Structures are given as structure tokens and as C-alpha cells.
Amino acid sequence: MRADAQRNRARVLDAAEVVLARDGLSASMREIAELAGVGVGTIYRQFPTKEALYQAIVQDRMRRLAERAGELAQAADAGEAFFEYFSTIVADSTVKKVLVDALAASGIDAKAGAPDIKGPIAALLARAQEAGAVRRDVGMEELLALLSAACLAAQHNNWGDDLRARTLAVVFDGLRPAGKARASG
């Protein structure tokens, strides 16, 4: 893909996320094109249907989450990296759910072609446990259950930033070893 086509694709994906977050599934391809600074034809050349665009957004979001996990795996503070990533996934889940639901309604597997982030999450968990920031008795099964529950609650109840931060602080205190809970503000 030419450099200008790659730039256009990135702008379309970014604009589509903004418009979808604002308008939901009724988002207009024309509004996405205007925000991206491209013509509608440019969108349809790369994404022949709305569903193809939605799937590309989900795949792009998953790719970015996997990349972010890789960056955080190198962070000096393994505990902070783990908790930041958990927060990022919960914050990301609300927008992603709209897209995944739209794709599922169209019979498309949203995760097809998207990177699996369980491996990077397991690596962040292991590092945080080695650093003493997360309880050793927390396994991937428990962690994924907590992540799923937090994501579903955030989606269902439309959590704002403040409520999400306060709620995750409680969850994080439960993940920390005894005596390491943080004072909440």
C-alpha cells in the first residue's frame, strides 16, 4: 500500500472511531469521510462495506492494545504497567462493544484477523506478581473474569472516567497483596 493510502486509511480509522463513538451504528460514511479529510470513495475503495470498516477498526484497536502491552512489558514499574493496561482495556471496551455487536449482527467474527492479547496480558501479570504488586494467587482465569466483569459493567452502565477510576481502584486493591492497598482519594 502506498504511503498516502496508508495515511488515508489511518485517518479514516481514527475518524470512524470518533464518529461511531458519538453516533453509534447510525454513523454516516459521509461524516467519517469529512472528519478524515477524504472523499467517500476513498473509504469505499478500502472498506467496501460498513461492516468491513467496523472490522478494520476492531482489528486496529486490538493491534494497538497488543502493542501497548509490549511497551508496558518493558516498563520499570511492573505493577503500574499491569494496572495501567487493565484500565486501558476497560476504557477501550465500551467503544469496541458497539463495533463487535454491529459485526455480530452482520454475521462477521469481529476478532478474525485480530491479534490475541491473552499472551501479553499473562506476561504483564507474571511481571507484576514477580515485582510483588499483584497477589500470587491470581491466575489468568481470575484475571480474565475480573476484566470481563469490569468491561461489561462499564459498557452496561456507561461509566464515566471518574466512576471507572474509583471502581478500578477498588478492584486493584483486591488484586494487590495484603497490606499493599493504595489510599483512595
Side-chain angles (χ1 to χ4, degrees):
M1 190 180 290
R2 294 183 344 230
D4 61 332
Q6 288 175 346
R7 283 190 302 274
N8 284 343
R9 179 182 172 85
R11 287 199 320 255
V12 167
L13 291 174
D14 290 343
E17 280 191 60
V18 170
V19 173
L20 283 166
R22 183 188 69 212
D23 300 341
L25 298 179
S26 65
S28 155
M29 294 293 251
R30 183 169 310 287
E31 287 183 50
I32 293 169
E34 286 175 13
L35 186 59
V38 300
V40 175
T42 299
I43 294 177
Y44 282 111
R45 272 192 296 280
Q46 294 189 24
F47 309 103
T49 64
K50 253 188 183 180
E51 291 78 14
L53 176 59
Y54 296 165
Q55 188 168 32
I57 293 168
V58 170
Q59 291 170 347
D60 188 57
R61 291 177 81 84
M62 296 297 286
R63 179 192 52 76
R64 284 184 283 160
L65 281 173
E67 287 174 1
R68 184 66 182 138
E71 293 166 7
L72 289 170
Q74 306 305 313
D77 188 329
E80 282 301 312
F82 171 81
F83 293 118
E84 178 184 329
Y85 195 66
F86 192 116
S87 296
T88 299
I89 289 175
V90 174
D92 187 70
S93 71
T94 303
V95 173
K96 193 175 99 183
K97 171 119 174 55
V98 171
L99 300 171
V100 169
D101 287 350
L103 291 170
S106 300
I108 298 171
D109 179 7
K111 295 182 180 178
D116 184 3
I117 61 171
K118 287 181 186 172
I121 291 172
L124 288 171
L125 173 62
R127 283 192 70 230
Q129 288 173 323
E130 288 169 15
V134 173
R135 296 167 33 171
R136 292 230 176 244
D137 62 337
V138 174
M140 276 298 288
E141 192 171 78
E142 293 84 7
L143 178 60
L144 292 176
L146 288 170
L147 266 170
S148 295
C151 289
L152 288 172
Q155 294 161 7
H156 182 70
N157 297 306
N158 204 19
W159 287 357
D161 293 342
D162 290 340
L163 179 57
R164 183 175 54 247
R166 291 191 317 269
T167 303
L168 290 180
V170 173
V171 172
F172 294 167
D173 281 348
L175 286 168
R176 290 187 176 93
K180 290 208 176 190
R182 295 207 172 169
S184 57

